[in-house]
Amino acid sequence: MILILLSWIYIFFTTINLGFACDRILVLKNKNFVVTSILGLFSVTILASIWAVFGRINIEFHVFLLALNLLLLLKFNNLIIKIYKSFISEFKSLQKGLKAILILISFLIIAQCASIPFVIDNESYYIQTIKWINEYGFVKGLVNLHLFLGQVSGWHVTQSVFNFSFLYDNFNDLSGFCLLLGTIFSIQKLNDFFQNQNPNYLIVGLFPLFNVFLFQFISAPSPDIPVYVFSFILFFYFLENFKTITPEIFNLIVIFVVFLFYIKNTTLTFLLIPVILFVIHFKSLSKKLLKPFLIAVLVVTLFFIKNLIICGSPVFPSKLFSSFITEYTVPNSIQTFYYDQIKFYGYFLKRQQYDAMSAFDLFLKWLTMPKLNGLFNKIGILLILVLPFLIYKFQNKKSFWTLYFLMIFQLFLLFVTSPQYRFFMNFILFFGAFCLVCFVRNKKIINALLVLSLLPTMLALFFPLNLNRFSNHKFMMEISNFSSSNFISPYKNTKYDVAFTPIKLGNLTYNSPAVNNGFWISGNGDLPCVNKAQIEYFKKHFHIIPQMRTNNLKDGFYAKNISNE
């Protein structure tokens, strides 16, 4: 815990400095401490992504980052210090109960981050993705080694900076830092609500109520957490500025939208938000589009470059660019297999079952899934049915209707790709808070709800729980708990303690877990690392094996067809 806290102090220092610089360059006129830090995360992500095109994110990048930090601090020290003083002043102005809640949640977040990583994707590709970026940057054809490595998120680029791999190998908790930012922002807005009675502030202020769910993602760098946190903040700015908007706020919204897209492309529907605002406020925004246009072009270009290097295609997985081929492009047969697996997994079906079912049958299957999947799927549909009545009665505004139809559009896109509840959970959380606000606005009840919400969070953190009744996945039967042994140092970045076996295949020697904990699981093995079961499966069914392009790992991999051998 202590080491995580120290690392977060440096992350705050860095993100506030770079966030200030971003604000100054784009003239955003932002006054919020949390938003400044998010702007800093955005800046670090962009800088690191550009750097990773050419080299590794390691000590060289940190020397550059430290120099940039010091330069900004020396040149603008008074203005930057003013940001910290403003935040301290805001903290002091919080009501005593909210101060106590914020401090307690902050402690719990750090404790959860110090515990055993719980997210399954951490073992399948988070660890390996970040390790590749730390040691080599973006690697050509890396997707040919392990399909999931083609999903490189902008959040993993950011984590590759702030895991300080050249100093220590246990930091894996940037999502926890992000949740802390979201908690601070929500508590600020809740405190403001008690003064201004604006329901938009209360909706965002209720964000900590969902911590018992969110905590299960923060001991690993899950991109879902920044999606949930940034979505709440984005929706707040959208609702507050729907009728009247300044170019500065519009630019800030564009940054949130493109940052979310770079983190997780399932947020593609959010690109409609600035488009809608632009259409509504065409006269005031049409002459000041250069900055948001350049921001969007920069991020989308980096997104395509990252994919072109790692996957050999601008978008992965996608059949839209099948004619675009490089020597290390993942084969169409493999890409189709992967795309289908994602789609079938959303319904927990095999291909034969999926093909035999109508659209309505698939919907019923999705809706009646057991445990957490079925629960959140039902909640999503219930919200779609109930929200029109609640919006009409309590907040009959175009801004809320816009977000409502955006949620429906998001769910429709997921139905034709992969309708996993975590891909639309941001809408469930936001509109869940909205439903509560429609009926509860009493200060005492709100504070009581916040306190009560901490009880299951602490129970899950400090006591062993079995999730067999709730989860469909064997990996998620037991959640991670805090241990006193992690008071100083966090638990290592993997939950497994297994040996790895080197295996030679053609010109490639890779490390495979000696114990097979799952088809996609690779854990924290030395590079290159991939599960032997996965390699053998694609060799048997597709007659394809990964091979090195040269004798240097930095030069990447290609898929070799061995049908004729």
Side-chain angles (χ1 to χ4, degrees):
M1 284 180 64
I2 301 300
L3 290 181
I4 290 177
L5 178 61
L6 292 175
S7 72
W8 284 8
I9 291 172
Y10 176 76
I11 294 174
F12 263 121
F13 169 75
T14 300
T15 56
I16 292 299
N17 289 344
L18 270 68
F20 164 81
C22 180
D23 184 288
R24 193 172 181 86
I25 292 171
L26 299 175
V27 196
L28 299 174
K29 300 180 182 179
N30 165 61
K31 302 297 182 183
N32 187 279
F33 181 83
V34 169
V35 173
T36 300
S37 184
I38 293 173
L39 290 173
L41 288 171
F42 173 74
S43 302
V44 169
T45 305
I46 296 304
L47 290 172
S49 295
I50 295 172
W51 190 288
V53 172
F54 305 100
R56 63 180 190 166
I57 303 298
N58 211 290
I59 188 170
E60 309 93 309
F61 182 80
H62 282 273
V63 170
F64 160 74
L65 198 61
L66 182 60
L68 186 58
N69 266 315
L70 295 175
L71 180 64
L72 289 170
L73 194 61
L74 289 173
K75 186 171 179 61
F76 302 105
N77 63 311
N78 290 331
L79 293 174
I80 293 175
I81 291 173
K82 187 177 179 180
I83 296 174
Y84 289 102
K85 288 182 176 179
S86 175
F87 172 69
I88 293 172
S89 176
E90 287 183 18
F91 178 78
K92 290 180 178 178
S93 69
L94 292 177
Q95 298 180 14
K96 290 183 179 180
L98 293 182
K99 282 182 186 176
I101 289 173
L102 177 57
I103 292 171
L104 179 56
I105 292 177
S106 300
F107 169 79
L108 294 175
I109 289 175
I110 297 176
Q112 181 69 66
C113 288
S115 66
I116 301 172
F118 177 63
V119 182
I120 184 173
D121 287 339
N122 185 61
E123 306 297 337
S124 61
Y125 77 102
Y126 291 177
I127 297 171
Q128 289 294 314
T129 295
I130 293 165
K131 183 175 285 192
W132 276 104
I133 297 173
N134 281 147
E135 296 191 22
Y136 295 101
F138 295 152
V139 174
K140 290 182 178 179
L142 185 59
V143 68
N144 291 304
L145 180 68
H146 188 313
L147 275 175
F148 284 14
L149 296 177
Q151 299 179 137
V152 176
S153 165
W155 195 241
H156 295 141
V157 176
T158 322
Q159 179 66 83
S160 73
V161 176
F162 291 126
N163 66 347
F164 309 102
S165 61
F166 62 98
L167 291 175
Y168 189 62
D169 58 2
N170 284 19
F171 290 136
N172 200 42
D173 42 69
L174 189 63
S175 290
F177 177 80
C178 183
L179 184 59
L180 177 60
L181 291 179
T183 302
I184 294 171
F185 187 87
S186 64
I187 295 296
Q188 286 176 334
K189 297 309 173 187
L190 184 57
N191 190 70
D192 292 339
F193 167 77
F194 292 145
Q195 307 297 323
N196 62 25
Q197 293 298 302
N198 185 331
N200 295 340
Y201 284 70
L202 179 55
I203 294 172
V204 177
L206 294 179
F207 181 71
L209 291 179
F210 307 111
N211 275 338
V212 68
F213 170 77
L214 299 171
F215 265 48
Q216 307 314 314
F217 296 88
I218 61 174
S219 54
S222 169
D224 292 318
I225 288 296
V227 169
Y228 302 154
V229 171
F230 298 165
S231 292
F232 260 74
I233 300 175
L234 171 63
F235 293 163
F236 173 79
Y237 279 102
F238 176 76
L239 294 173
E240 282 293 290
N241 298 274
F242 186 81
K243 287 187 176 181
T244 57
I245 192 168
T246 64
E248 293 80 14
I249 294 296
F250 180 76
N251 293 349
L252 181 62
I253 287 175
V254 169
I255 289 175
F256 269 100
V257 168
V258 296
F259 195 16
L260 280 165
F261 173 72
Y262 195 59
I263 290 171
K264 203 172 186 71
N265 59 15
T266 54
T267 62
L268 180 67
T269 53
F270 285 4
L271 296 176
L272 293 174
I273 289 179
V275 173
I276 292 169
L277 290 173
F278 173 71
V279 171
I280 295 173
H281 303 283
F282 178 80
K283 289 184 179 180
S284 60
L285 297 176
S286 58
K287 295 181 181 179
K288 298 184 178 181
L289 281 180
L290 180 60
K291 287 180 181 178
F293 175 76
L294 291 177
I295 294 168
V297 168
L298 173 61
V299 175
V300 173
T301 300
L302 279 175
F303 175 80
F304 286 147
I305 290 174
K306 168 179 67 70
N307 289 335
L308 282 169
I309 294 174
I310 295 171
C311 307
S313 175
V315 179
F316 176 82
S318 172
K319 299 178 181 179
L320 298 176
F321 301 93
S322 56
S323 60
F324 188 96
I325 296 176
T326 67
E327 48 128 343
Y328 54 86
T329 297
V330 61
N332 284 332
S333 58
I334 301 294
Q335 191 163 188
T336 299
F337 164 82
Y338 180 50
Y339 182 82
D340 288 344
Q341 287 298 310
I342 292 175
K343 183 167 57 177
F344 304 152
Y345 179 78
Y347 296 96
F348 284 91
L349 294 172
K350 295 182 179 180
R351 185 183 189 96
Q352 295 84 350
Q353 296 171 308
Y354 181 90
D355 291 340
M357 298 175 75
S358 66
F360 184 70
D361 290 335
L362 287 172
F363 172 73
L364 289 180
K365 168 66 179 176
W366 175 83
L367 190 62
T368 56
M369 283 181 182
K371 304 179 182 180
L372 281 181
N373 292 275
L375 173 63
F376 287 123
N377 293 344
K378 291 180 181 69
I379 291 175
I381 297 301
L382 182 63
L383 284 173
I384 289 176
L385 296 175
V386 170
L387 281 171
F389 300 99
L390 295 180
I391 294 174
Y392 180 77
K393 183 175 181 179
F394 295 101
Q395 290 289 332
N396 194 13
K397 299 177 181 178
K398 291 181 180 178
S399 54
F400 280 96
W401 286 111
T402 301
L403 290 182
Y404 170 73
F405 287 115
L406 198 64
M407 177 177 71
I408 294 177
F409 184 50
Q410 170 86 355
L411 196 54
F412 170 76
L413 290 182
L414 291 178
F415 271 127
V416 297
T417 54
S418 181
Q420 300 177 47
Y421 71 82
R422 62 192 180 98
F423 294 161
F424 62 94
M425 195 69 192
N426 47 349
F427 285 105
I428 290 178
L429 298 180
F430 180 82
F431 279 114
F434 167 80
C435 291
L436 186 58
V437 168
C438 290
F439 302 99
V440 178
R441 299 193 184 185
N442 181 273
K443 180 180 176 180
K444 291 183 179 179
I445 296 177
I446 292 169
N447 285 331
L449 287 174
L450 285 174
V451 173
L452 289 173
S453 71
L454 292 175
L455 297 180
T457 304
M458 289 188 287
L459 180 67
L461 177 58
F462 294 109
F463 298 95
L465 295 176
N466 190 298
L467 296 185
N468 185 54
R469 295 181 179 180
F470 308 103
S471 175
N472 296 304
H473 204 293
K474 294 180 180 180
F475 188 97
M476 300 178 68
M477 293 306 165
E478 294 183 2
I479 63 177
S480 59
N481 305 118
F482 176 73
S483 169
S484 58
S485 62
N486 300 126
F487 182 76
I488 302 295
S489 304
Y491 194 87
K492 59 188 177 181
N493 64 359
T494 176
K495 70 176 295 181
Y496 292 129
D497 187 15
V498 299
F500 289 83
T501 303
I503 299 174
K504 185 170 180 59
L505 180 67
N507 69 355
L508 170 67
T509 300
Y510 65 93
N511 297 297
S512 175
V515 178
N516 187 2
N517 290 302
F519 183 80
W520 301 107
I521 301 300
S522 53
N524 192 27
D526 292 336
L527 304 182
C529 182
V530 62
N531 198 308
K532 178 184 177 182
Q534 185 184 150
I535 298 292
E536 292 298 322
Y537 180 88
F538 290 115
K539 180 180 179 181
K540 177 181 178 181
H541 294 278
F542 297 97
H543 311 294
I544 288 173
I545 61 172
Q547 293 289 274
M548 294 176 61
R549 296 177 65 239
T550 69
N551 292 327
N552 189 344
L553 285 176
K554 169 61 180 173
D555 294 327
F557 307 88
Y558 73 98
K560 182 179 179 180
N561 192 315
I562 58 171
S563 299
N564 298 325
E565 295 183 11

